[in-house]
Each structure stands twice: as structure tokens, then as C-alpha cells.
Amino acid sequence: MRTHRIAAIGGDGIGPEVIDAGVEVLRACAERDGGFELAVEQFDWGSEYYRQHGVMMPEGGADRLRAFDAIFFGAVGAPDIPDHLTLWGLRLAICQPLDQYANVRPTRILPGITSPLRNVSGPELDWVIVRENSEGEYAGVGGRVHRGLPEEVATDVSMFTRVGVLRIMRYAFRLAQSRPRKLLTVVTKSNAQRHAMVMWDEIAAEVAAEFPDVSWDKMLVDAMTMRMTLRPQTLDTIVATNLHADILSDLAAALAGSLGIAPTGNLNPERNSPSMFEPIHGSAFDITGKGIANPVGAFWTASMMLDHLGERDAAERLMRAVERVTADPKLHTPDLGGTATTRQVTDAVCEALRGAND
Ligand code: IPM
Ligand code: MG
């Protein structure tokens, strides 16, 4: 029997609710599969931990996570704590030392979900966004001096390294190559940002030469928003900087029907350290504790995690179960216009898994 050690960090807001639902569904997956088991350890890190201890996680927290095969993460962010503290104190404090440099965000319109785009259904929108996850605009380089004075200055410097750009481009080209259409769009802004973005374009062209079977093109980020909206079927794999992909992935999630269903993986592709999987939706404190959070984002995330752990059959079986459930509008949570609860959707997915004969 294969054992996968999972660190579960529910975090803030609806995070713990959807991670609990996700762990339940993962257990049903393991039971149905019979070939593996999960050893899940829960961590209570996040904003409540911060209120008690003044830090989002204990010192050496990221190092403790190295002992696990994967991290299942809920959300971070609370109304009473500045967002930059919660983010840098937990999510980035894990992603950066564990070198999870590739943030992968698949986007599809699941059965039963309606895109806000007229005439766009499943086949026209099937993308994977690859977000550079270790540097760029999120490098943390910058500073603030003369606080409060008229001469106050603040800078956020976006920092790109050749190593960082090379590895994300290689990852993106390889991923594009593994998908049927072998099509990659490199997002840039090298018309206005004339240093780092020009290097980004040059490295993309260098790496492209290593992948002659991948067709690729380049899009300025502003024009990319129009192409995603007006010609979604012309896109497949997309690679962009940390900030550009952050923005484009919210657009992608909205075009696919709901932020409540979108998953993400923060990957260390070389597997030198564990990767971290999280739904994109965030803490959503307006609906925390109401039992109506959409757990589908956490389930899709769980499927990505199983795939990364080498459990491809179980990952695919879970996605089929999720799709059977999303196809039924009676099982839609309020973010999708329905009245279903987290509990009902979770039970339905577990039931679909138990009944799965494939
Ligand atoms: C995301 C989120 C985060 C980000 C927020 C919570 C800081 O928007 O994962 O896309 O910008 O990275
Ligand atoms: Mg975002």
C-alpha cells in the first residue's frame, strides 16, 4: 500500500471548511482506489494563530513541511489584518523557501456551469495558465522611506533572473508539449517594460528552439485580456509573470463560470521539496461559517494533488465524480446561483466516487 503524507493547512475564512471537505473526498478516493492511503496532519496556522502568537506560522514552519509529500492549503486573509502581512507571513513564506516556482492554473468550463461568454461552452475554453511563482513583481524587492513626510518614497521593484525565467519557460513549453494542441502563448509587456520583459521575450525564444514541435506566440498582456474574452478557442497553454498571471487567472476563472471552482498547484517540478495545492478563491470571510462555500475548487485542487502524487487513476476518477455533480444544478452552491450547501456537494461527490465503476 502506498502512503502519501499530506500537510493540511486550512488557514483563514472558508479555507478550513473547504479543506475539511477536500480531505473527506480524498479519503473516499483512497478507499475507492484501494492502492494508496493518506496520512493527513492538520496545521492551525493562519490569522487566528497570528492573533495569538504575532506570527502566521511558527519559526521553521516551512522546514517542517519538507517532511510531507504534498501540502493541501485553504486560504489566507482576514478583515482585521493587513493582507500583505497574512500573505507574506504564510503563503509566500511557504512557496518561496520550498521553491514552488511554477504556479499552475487549469481553467475549463465544467459540465453544468455557464460561462458569462455568449456561445462559449466546454470545448472552446480549455486552458492552463503557468504563473511564474518565485520572483518578478512578487520578489519583495523595494522599500519605503520618509514615512508620512511629503518626501515619502516607496518602490516595488520587479526582479527577473535568467535562471528564474529559463526554468518557468522550460516548464511551460514542456507542459504545452504534453497537451494535445502543443500550443503556448507567452504573455509579455515588453513594449513598455523595456528591460526585464525584453529579457523574458528573448529567453522565451531561446527555449522555443528546444521545443520545435510546440507552436508558440507572444501576446502583450493588455491585448491578452481581449483575446481571452473574444477568441478563447485560440488559446491552450499560457505562461506569464507573477503579477500578469495573477490578474489573467482571475479573468480566466470568471470566464469559466466561477472563482469558486478554480484550482491551483504551486509546484516544485524537480520534487526537491513538496508542492502545495490550493483553491484560488481565497478566504471569502463574508460567507465564512455559513456552510455554503463551494468545495469544488478544493476538490479539483485535490485531484491535481493526487495526479502530482502519481495517483493518476484516482485523480481522473475524482474529476469525473466532480463533473457528475456540477452537471446537476440542484447541487450548485450560491456562488453558482444555486442553494446547495458545502455538505450536500461533498456528500454527492463521495457518493459518486463510491458508485464509480471505472
Ligand atoms: C492568488 C491571490 C494571491 C496572489 C493574493 C491572495 C495575494 O490573488 O493566488 O492569485 O496575488 O498571489
Ligand atoms: Mg489572484
Side-chain angles (χ1 to χ4, degrees), residues 75-77 83-84 86-88 91-92 103 105 131 133 138 242-243 245-247 249-250 259 264 266 278-283:
V76 66
D83 284 337
H84 65 275
T86 53
L87 178 70
W88 282 94
R91 195 166 154 281
L92 293 179
N103 183 282
R105 302 187 159 187
R131 171 179 179 183
N133 210 34
Y138 283 58
N242 218 328
L243 182 63
D246 175 40
I247 298 164
S249 60
D250 267 28
L259 198 58
T264 185
N266 299 283
E278 58 175 331
I280 289 190
H281 51 61
S283 50

Side-chain angles (χ1 to χ4, degrees), residues 18-37:
V18 297
I19 289 304
D20 284 352
V23 168
E24 214 177 308
V25 158
L26 279 164
R27 293 210 187 283
C29 281
E31 217 165 275
R32 170 65 188 74
D33 188 89
F36 68 96
E37 60 182 6

Side-chain angles (χ1 to χ4, degrees), residues 9 20 33 39 61 105 130 164 170 179 265 328 330 334-335 342 357:
I9 308 174
D20 284 352
D33 188 89
R105 302 187 159 187
V130 176
R170 285 212 172 101
R179 288 171 53 89
D328 180 356
K330 287 195 298 300
D335 56 300
T342 312
N357 46 17

